[in-house]
Amino acid sequence: MSKLYKELGSDITLIDTGMMGDEIVACYMITSGDQVAIIETGNFKTAQRILSVLAEKDISPEQVRYVIVTHIHLDHAGGASTLLKDLPNAELLVHPSGYKHMVNPEQLIAGATQVYGEERFREMYGDIEAIPEHKVRAIEDGETVMLGERPLLFEDT
């Protein structure tokens, strides 16, 4: 097993994002049948780690049905546009208030650039692009989405 991930059960995998060093920030992969969901995306560099874990586990990028971000802070959702380019069947699931920022990330980019400065922002988050609206779905509190045979219940906390 790679240092990039750790099995938390037969269907949940912790993936080390590499952000802030080893074993500090994680995202997760859930499998159900032949479908996969990725929870959180880390930053743009994390996308390659996630793709490497998929390859190591003999999971094709086409099997990823959902990319789910719990909120739009860039350490959780900053890699979404990069990752989705390599997942042709994946749909991004996001809280309704985050939807507009995923399809038009200008405010997120401006805010983070103001905090970190242009050079540091690019180092940390790379190029964040708009995600096409047809690839993004706002998920309401209490909504359930099926991943294979597994229900995923979304709760606004």
Side-chain angles (χ1 to χ4, degrees):
M1 180 166 51
S2 166
K3 185 179 177 182
L4 294 177
Y5 70 93
K6 177 169 46 171
E7 299 297 343
L8 300 180
S10 62
D11 58 353
I12 300 176
T13 303
L14 178 148
I15 301 172
D16 186 350
T17 67
M19 292 180 64
M20 305 187 66
D22 291 336
E23 298 183 7
I24 296 174
V25 181
C27 58
Y28 299 86
M29 179 172 64
I30 299 174
T31 58
S32 180
D34 66 349
Q35 291 189 0
V36 175
I38 304 295
I39 315 295
E40 310 294 27
T41 65
N43 66 8
F44 75 109
K45 295 175 186 174
T46 305
Q48 188 53 55
R49 285 178 170 247
I50 293 169
L51 295 170
S52 293
V53 171
L54 290 172
E56 282 187 43
K57 293 173 69 73
D58 292 320
I59 297 170
S60 76
E62 290 78 15
Q63 288 176 257
V64 178
R65 177 73 185 98
Y66 302 114
V67 173
I68 303 166
V69 293
T70 60
H71 60 288
I72 60 166
H73 289 168
L74 296 179
D75 57 331
H76 291 258
S81 64
T82 303
L83 182 60
L84 283 166
K85 288 178 186 178
D86 290 309
L87 305 175
N89 300 325
E91 180 177 36
L92 180 73
L93 306 182
V94 62
H95 186 277
S97 66
Y99 177 90
K100 68 180 180 181
H101 297 291
M102 296 291 94
V103 298
N104 181 359
E106 290 178 15
Q107 283 183 315
L108 289 176
I109 294 167
T113 300
Q114 186 175 11
V115 170
Y116 296 111
E118 179 74 29
E119 185 176 331
R120 182 76 176 125
F121 171 82
R122 293 284 172 217
E123 258 177 45
M124 293 171 61
Y125 301 112
D127 291 322
I128 296 173
E129 297 177 14
I131 299 170
E133 288 187 48
H134 73 276
K135 297 279 285 177
V136 183
R137 182 175 10 154
I139 298 294
E140 298 290 340
D141 181 39
E143 189 171 342
T144 298
V145 172
M146 294 303 294
L147 177 69
E149 298 296 317
R150 182 185 194 131
L152 302 177
L153 171 64
F154 290 78
E155 294 185 1
D156 188 358
T157 60

XYZ file of all heavy atoms in Angstrom, residues 35-73:
311
model
N -18.906 2.407 -8.295
C -18.935 3.872 -8.266
C -18.088 4.399 -7.114
O -17.951 3.757 -6.079
C -20.362 4.386 -8.130
C -21.200 4.139 -9.355
C -22.543 4.849 -9.264
O -22.870 5.529 -8.304
N -23.341 4.694 -10.311
N -17.551 5.612 -7.338
C -16.636 6.231 -6.381
C -17.051 7.673 -6.148
O -17.490 8.365 -7.069
C -15.184 6.186 -6.929
C -14.216 6.916 -6.021
C -14.738 4.751 -7.158
N -16.874 8.115 -4.894
C -17.021 9.532 -4.549
C -15.732 9.981 -3.880
O -15.140 9.243 -3.092
C -18.201 9.751 -3.605
N -15.309 11.179 -4.213
C -14.147 11.807 -3.581
C -14.695 12.929 -2.698
O -15.440 13.791 -3.173
C -13.171 12.396 -4.629
C -12.712 11.336 -5.636
C -12.000 13.092 -3.946
C -11.889 10.219 -5.064
N -14.321 12.920 -1.414
C -14.769 13.937 -0.468
C -13.599 14.877 -0.207
O -12.566 14.448 0.299
C -15.224 13.321 0.874
C -16.102 12.093 0.684
C -15.872 14.383 1.763
C -17.416 12.342 0.022
N -13.768 16.145 -0.563
C -12.760 17.205 -0.487
C -11.736 17.028 -1.612
O -11.527 15.916 -2.094
C -12.033 17.265 0.862
C -12.923 17.266 2.073
C -13.806 18.479 2.259
O -14.179 19.155 1.288
O -14.177 18.733 3.407
N -11.124 18.123 -2.011
C -10.160 18.043 -3.112
C -8.784 18.587 -2.756
O -7.872 18.468 -3.564
C -10.661 18.823 -4.350
O -10.727 20.216 -4.034
C -12.007 18.324 -4.815
N -8.641 19.187 -1.584
C -7.367 19.816 -1.289
C -7.100 20.917 -2.310
O -8.038 21.537 -2.823
N -5.820 21.127 -2.638
C -5.479 22.148 -3.636
C -5.177 21.482 -4.984
O -5.380 20.289 -5.153
C -4.322 23.017 -3.155
C -3.010 22.253 -3.019
O -2.880 21.097 -3.408
N -2.023 22.904 -2.454
N -4.664 22.254 -5.923
C -4.417 21.723 -7.271
C -3.412 20.583 -7.277
O -3.487 19.687 -8.109
C -3.993 22.848 -8.225
C -2.578 23.338 -8.030
C -1.603 23.057 -8.964
C -2.228 24.098 -6.924
C -0.299 23.514 -8.805
C -0.937 24.572 -6.748
C 0.033 24.273 -7.688
N -2.481 20.566 -6.346
C -1.491 19.494 -6.285
C -2.109 18.181 -5.813
O -1.624 17.107 -6.152
C -0.345 19.884 -5.350
C 0.459 21.068 -5.841
C 1.490 21.479 -4.819
C 2.192 22.753 -5.232
N 3.095 23.246 -4.187
N -3.162 18.261 -5.048
C -3.827 17.067 -4.526
C -4.469 16.251 -5.639
O -4.586 15.029 -5.531
C -4.882 17.464 -3.470
O -4.258 18.250 -2.457
C -5.518 16.244 -2.832
N -4.892 16.906 -6.707
C -5.539 16.193 -7.809
C -4.666 15.044 -8.298
O -5.158 13.927 -8.503
C -5.858 17.150 -8.957
N -3.376 15.269 -8.458
C -2.491 14.202 -8.931
C -2.387 13.074 -7.917
O -2.322 11.903 -8.283
C -1.101 14.749 -9.268
C -0.209 13.734 -9.941
C -0.862 13.096 -11.160
O -1.294 13.775 -12.078
N -0.956 11.775 -11.172
N -2.400 13.403 -6.644
C -2.371 12.362 -5.604
C -3.624 11.491 -5.686
O -3.555 10.274 -5.570
C -2.258 12.980 -4.218
C -0.880 13.493 -3.904
C -0.849 14.135 -2.520
N 0.515 14.414 -2.147
C 1.168 13.808 -1.156
N 0.562 12.912 -0.418
N 2.415 14.113 -0.903
N -4.771 12.136 -5.837
C -6.031 11.386 -5.925
C -6.004 10.467 -7.151
O -6.361 9.292 -7.064
C -7.234 12.348 -5.962
C -7.366 13.071 -4.612
C -8.524 11.612 -6.321
C -8.333 14.234 -4.608
N -5.569 10.997 -8.282
C -5.490 10.179 -9.499
C -4.510 9.016 -9.333
O -4.763 7.915 -9.820
C -5.108 11.054 -10.693
C -6.137 12.120 -11.079
C -5.558 13.076 -12.104
C -7.430 11.491 -11.576
N -3.421 9.240 -8.617
C -2.456 8.166 -8.359
C -3.062 7.068 -7.499
O -2.834 5.882 -7.741
C -1.201 8.723 -7.673
O -0.496 9.571 -8.546
N -3.835 7.456 -6.496
C -4.492 6.461 -5.643
C -5.514 5.664 -6.453
O -5.589 4.434 -6.334
C -5.135 7.118 -4.401
C -6.002 6.128 -3.641
C -4.055 7.695 -3.487
N -6.283 6.341 -7.293
C -7.223 5.625 -8.157
C -6.482 4.584 -8.988
O -6.898 3.422 -9.068
C -7.965 6.595 -9.081
C -8.988 7.530 -8.445
C -9.480 8.543 -9.471
C -10.146 6.767 -7.836
N -5.374 4.976 -9.593
C -4.599 4.059 -10.431
C -4.058 2.889 -9.613
O -4.139 1.732 -10.053
C -3.461 4.808 -11.120
N -3.512 3.172 -8.427
C -2.977 2.102 -7.577
C -4.044 1.101 -7.180
O -3.769 -0.080 -6.992
C -2.350 2.687 -6.305
C -0.987 3.271 -6.515
C -0.323 3.688 -5.213
O -0.414 2.921 -4.228
O 0.274 4.771 -5.195
N -5.282 1.576 -7.051
C -6.382 0.709 -6.634
C -7.164 0.161 -7.835
O -8.233 -0.419 -7.665
C -7.304 1.471 -5.687
C -6.633 1.807 -4.349
C -7.475 2.694 -3.471
C -8.695 2.034 -2.926
N -8.505 1.053 -1.874
N -6.617 0.343 -9.041
C -7.252 -0.132 -10.281
C -8.681 0.389 -10.450
O -9.586 -0.340 -10.862
C -7.239 -1.664 -10.369
C -5.840 -2.203 -10.542
O -5.059 -1.585 -11.303
O -5.513 -3.233 -9.916
N -8.848 1.668 -10.132
C -10.138 2.346 -10.320
C -9.955 3.331 -11.462
O -9.038 4.164 -11.427
C -10.571 3.083 -9.039
C -10.779 2.085 -7.904
C -11.822 3.913 -9.288
C -10.976 2.731 -6.530
N -10.797 3.248 -12.468
C -10.661 4.167 -13.596
C -11.269 5.523 -13.233
O -12.223 5.603 -12.454
C -11.336 3.607 -14.844
O -12.735 3.745 -14.738
N -10.733 6.586 -13.793
C -11.305 7.916 -13.554
C -12.795 7.980 -13.933
O -13.546 8.747 -13.335
C -10.466 8.836 -14.437
C -9.154 8.136 -14.565
C -9.511 6.665 -14.611
N -13.219 7.159 -14.885
C -14.620 7.141 -15.310
C -15.556 6.618 -14.217
O -16.757 6.873 -14.248
C -14.790 6.291 -16.579
C -14.197 6.908 -17.828
C -12.679 6.773 -17.922
O -12.076 5.967 -17.183
O -12.087 7.499 -18.741
N -15.018 5.895 -13.246
C -15.840 5.353 -12.165
C -16.195 6.398 -11.106
O -17.072 6.149 -10.282
C -15.126 4.177 -11.494
C -15.087 2.930 -12.335
C -14.289 1.841 -11.651
O -13.159 1.592 -12.015
N -14.893 1.204 -10.649
N -15.494 7.516 -11.105
C -15.781 8.539 -10.098
C -17.066 9.251 -10.496
O -17.134 9.929 -11.517
C -14.614 9.537 -9.943
C -14.974 10.608 -8.909
C -13.339 8.800 -9.549
N -18.086 9.083 -9.666
C -19.416 9.648 -9.921
C -19.567 11.030 -9.315
O -20.202 11.899 -9.872
C -20.474 8.682 -9.349
C -21.889 9.135 -9.460
C -22.374 9.050 -10.917
N -23.710 9.607 -11.013
C -23.987 10.849 -11.404
N -23.034 11.662 -11.746
N -25.218 11.273 -11.470
N -18.986 11.218 -8.108
C -19.133 12.493 -7.401
C -17.803 12.978 -6.843
O -16.989 12.188 -6.373
C -20.101 12.369 -6.214
C -21.478 11.899 -6.589
C -21.954 10.673 -6.147
C -22.312 12.685 -7.378
C -23.217 10.229 -6.486
C -23.575 12.242 -7.731
C -24.023 11.018 -7.280
O -25.274 10.581 -7.624
N -17.627 14.285 -6.883
C -16.615 14.982 -6.101
C -17.431 15.872 -5.176
O -18.269 16.656 -5.639
C -15.662 15.812 -6.990
C -14.738 16.663 -6.132
C -14.867 14.893 -7.917
N -17.213 15.719 -3.886
C -18.022 16.417 -2.893
C -17.122 17.326 -2.076
O -16.105 16.868 -1.538
C -18.739 15.407 -1.968
C -19.594 14.445 -2.796
C -19.558 16.135 -0.910
C -20.072 13.224 -2.034
N -17.487 18.595 -1.991
C -16.756 19.516 -1.120
C -17.683 19.934 0.017
O -18.837 20.279 -0.212
C -16.186 20.736 -1.886
C -15.099 20.283 -2.852
C -17.257 21.511 -2.630
N -17.159 19.869 1.237
C -17.986 20.201 2.397
C -18.203 21.699 2.530
O -19.195 22.135 3.085
C -17.366 19.663 3.699
O -16.068 20.247 3.882
C -17.264 18.140 3.668
N -17.234 22.457 2.029
C -17.355 23.915 1.975
C -16.296 24.420 0.997
O -15.479 23.648 0.507
C -17.228 24.558 3.358
C -15.930 24.305 4.056
N -15.586 23.074 4.590
C -14.890 25.129 4.302
C -14.385 23.163 5.147
N -13.943 24.402 4.981
N -16.339 25.713 0.691
C -15.546 26.213 -0.427
C -14.198 26.815 -0.059
O -13.526 27.364 -0.921
C -16.362 27.233 -1.255
C -16.785 28.409 -0.400
C -17.543 26.538 -1.912
C -17.288 29.594 -1.178
N -13.762 26.675 1.201
C -12.409 27.135 1.512
C -11.447 26.416 0.575
O -11.631 25.247 0.253
C -12.048 26.844 2.962
C -12.777 27.690 3.938
N -12.769 27.423 5.284
C -13.548 28.797 3.781
C -13.489 28.326 5.913
N -13.975 29.174 5.017
